[in-house]
Amino acid sequence: MNKTNENSLNILLFLCNWGAHAAFLNLQDEQRPIPDEIRMVRTPCTGRIDRAMMLKAFAKGADGVAVVGCEPGTCRYGSGTATSVRNTGDMQHILDLMGLGGERLRFAAFLPEQSEDMLTFLQDFTADIRKLGHAGIETLPPPPIADTAQRKEELQQLVTNFDIHACQDCGKCSSACPLALVGKAFSPRAIASAVITGGIHAPGVRENAWSCLTCGLCYDRCPSAVNFPAFIKDLRHLYRQSELSGQEVHGGFFHSLMRSLTSPAVKPRRWAGLPEDIRIDPHSTTLFYGGCAPYYDIFFSKHSDVATSTILVDSLRLLNFFDVTPRLLEDERCCGHDLLWSGDKENFSRLARLNVDRLHELGIETVITTCPECFMTLHTTYAEQGFEPQFNVIHLYDFLEEQIDKGAVCFEPLDRTITFQDSCRLGRLENRADLPRKLLKRLKPVRFTEMKESGGASICCGNCAWTGCDAYSKAMQVKRLEQVHATGSDLLVTACPKCQIHLKCAMEDPFRREQLGIEMMDLTSIIAQTIRWE
């Protein structure tokens, strides 16, 4: 969206092609005073305007978004109005979390003869947006597109940096790759060979570059220590420089969210509604970093039992249990993990710089997080990318293990048989598969049984960085759930919010729900519920 000047406002109107559009046409035909800020986009049905499209409207420069459809019961497509109401409600909550304010988004419905009512709505909404002012999201220019010679040189440098020529073509990566093992025509060594001989446009390279889970199993098995996940990460960056977009799932919603948070004027409001018994200290030099769980819970609210924010509350309860009252960052932004691993280095860098500068400004000395992706990004990636954080980053499991090891605590018996799903980032990329197991061994379940593939050999939950989700990802999730049930467990313990989301999604298969379904709980929550002072 282009603003005519710095002070002008843009309000995007998504308008249903049927009854609502007829009312709008009447206003135009009669030259009624439709506010100048309104930019109308005609759509077959407002039910097709999903949350990703709403967010992208703000990311592209809208200061307000109105979704105007048909009265309930008159939708030509049946469920369009109900879908639009649900999507709008979800996005209003997300806009509140982002600090933009849910009042910048509004849904309304009109019949063809209600043109005057529509005009009143548009005028009132515009007046409200004028009072709010600009949303604050900067419309960043796209990165400059490198010319052919420059791209070729960068690709050669990429091959050199990751020593791709060291690949021995032994096939150990392909024989371990979980995508290949569920039938996808995918081979890390084949991608490496194709890139060397034919460049990034060689047949099959681009598709597989976006399908890769970057789970690290191939790197773990490679006798030449070729870091294939990191190679894929930078290869995706080259694709973006070549105007070849990625395969972002969910309409690119989470990537748009993270790019929006790179605007300094956007001030998230992250920690509203915490339970009253949670103790925090606004002046502490120890900060608890939550991650994206609240956004996940809203976005996936229509899925069963997705409540990953519970992990954050239980993390705070555990810190309080050991007399740590951490600081919370009210304007906490995403760490940027998914931007970097989907090839968007430019916006990752903007986000990382905002995060590091903010924590330095507050004098934070220690950051504790339970999200494995946040941990790896803050602990390892920021330094690798040159941001030089001056604070120590600790995973909550390390903190708990240290405190529990001092003694004087015990655990109540857990009347469940359990198994454990490893996080790729913590287990393999950070080489800490032992860490959650130390805590698991302290619990008192009826039985703890490892799955067939566990620890360093654990299978990924089927997706990373919200890219490339397909039928093969689903097949992986089903395979993993079958392994869960093969252990005879009645509770699957997880260590990553995305694992919960992706595996719960697979459980919703209407044909196999009974066979795949199992209760899931994060390790943090289990510890919080069973730990006691002796």
Side-chain angles (χ1 to χ4, degrees), residues 5 40 82 89 176 192 258 348 412:
N5 59 67
M40 189 268 283
M258 294 171 206
F348 166 80
E412 291 187 351

Side-chain angles (χ1 to χ4, degrees), residues 18-174:
W18 300 99
H21 185 252
F24 191 80
L25 284 178
N26 288 336
L27 295 177
Q28 291 182 317
D29 291 343
E30 296 173 8
Q31 297 185 345
R32 303 292 286 139
I34 299 171
D36 293 336
E37 292 90 342
I38 299 290
R39 309 284 186 270
M40 189 268 283
V41 175
R42 196 169 158 188
T43 178
C45 175
T46 55
R48 298 188 183 184
I49 306 302
D50 61 17
R51 293 158 296 181
M53 293 179 69
M54 294 177 190
L55 182 55
K56 283 182 179 178
F58 287 102
K60 295 294 185 181
D63 301 297
V65 174
V67 182
V68 176
C70 299
E71 287 283 357
T74 67
C75 174
R76 189 177 182 88
Y77 300 98
S79 61
T81 300
T83 299
S84 187
V85 169
R86 184 180 65 242
N87 287 341
T88 302
D90 287 348
M91 267 310 303
Q92 286 171 333
H93 291 311
I94 288 171
L95 291 173
D96 280 334
L97 275 176
M98 294 175 66
L100 299 182
E103 61 270 28
R104 291 185 181 274
L105 173 66
R106 200 168 298 176
F107 174 83
F110 299 100
L111 296 170
E113 61 269 23
Q114 292 179 306
S115 56
E116 286 301 316
D117 292 335
M118 178 184 285
L119 179 61
T120 299
F121 165 79
L122 294 175
Q123 290 175 336
D124 289 347
F125 183 54
T126 301
D128 290 341
I129 297 301
R130 287 171 182 163
K131 292 177 184 176
L132 292 170
H134 293 298
I137 297 178
E138 299 176 6
T139 51
L140 301 170
I145 304 302
D147 58 33
T148 303
Q150 183 180 346
R151 288 202 305 269
K152 185 176 181 180
E153 181 180 344
E154 288 178 350
L155 180 59
Q156 290 174 343
Q157 187 62 48
L158 185 62
V159 169
T160 300
N161 289 346
F162 292 101
D163 198 16
I164 301 302
H165 287 288
C167 172
Q168 299 177 26
D169 203 27
C170 65
K172 290 185 177 179
C173 57
S174 303

